[in-house]
Amino acid sequence: MPSQMLTIEVDRLDAGAVRVRLAGELDYDTAPELVEAVARLRRDGCQEVELDFGGVVLCDSSGLSALVVIHRSGTGAVRLRNTNPQVRHLLDRTGLAELLAAPRRDVTGGAREVG
């Protein structure tokens, strides 16, 4: 079964910051598209990159690798938003959640007790 196309939409937030909204599958076939799109944005002066995963239905190891490449290739922060439970689980298991400043949320959406 072929991969679902990855849709990439860009919103400029302010000087040097951009939100990249993703929809579809971030996998072996589509990860290079994301890496190239962010590289173009960085060449255009956008260093702070927010990746909105609200529409991502699947992310595999190639997608995770693309996130590492994006992180390493720039000087500004890379932040992930709206990650689904599957993606959050992968980020937590690989340690990328902290590296990419992905928000840690309780799966149920409730508050967590600390201490």
Side-chain angles (χ1 to χ4, degrees):
M1 184 169 152
S3 289
Q4 186 181 43
M5 183 173 24
L6 180 69
T7 302
I8 301 171
E9 295 180 7
V10 176
D11 297 318
R12 302 231 181 221
L13 301 175
D14 56 33
V18 66
R19 176 180 300 122
V20 179
R21 290 181 290 145
L22 307 173
E25 295 181 0
L26 183 56
D27 61 11
Y28 178 81
D29 293 324
T30 61
E33 296 173 41
L34 177 60
V35 171
E36 180 54 34
V38 173
R40 277 194 310 272
L41 290 166
R42 287 197 162 142
R43 285 192 297 271
D44 289 344
C46 296
Q47 293 304 312
E48 301 288 325
V49 178
E50 178 181 301
L51 298 173
D52 185 336
F53 269 60
V56 173
V57 295
L58 175 127
C59 180
D60 70 5
S61 61
S62 296
L64 294 178
S65 178
L67 298 177
V68 172
V69 168
I70 290 167
H71 172 73
R72 289 183 176 169
S73 67
T75 57
V78 176
R79 304 213 189 287
L80 302 183
R81 298 289 180 251
N82 299 318
T83 54
N84 66 38
Q86 180 256 347
V87 171
R88 280 194 304 274
H89 178 73
L90 285 174
L91 294 169
D92 288 341
R93 296 277 305 206
T94 59
L96 291 175
E98 293 174 16
L99 178 70
L100 298 173
R104 290 185 59 105
R105 290 183 280 178
D106 183 53
V107 175
T108 62
R112 288 197 263 183
E113 188 174 318
V114 178

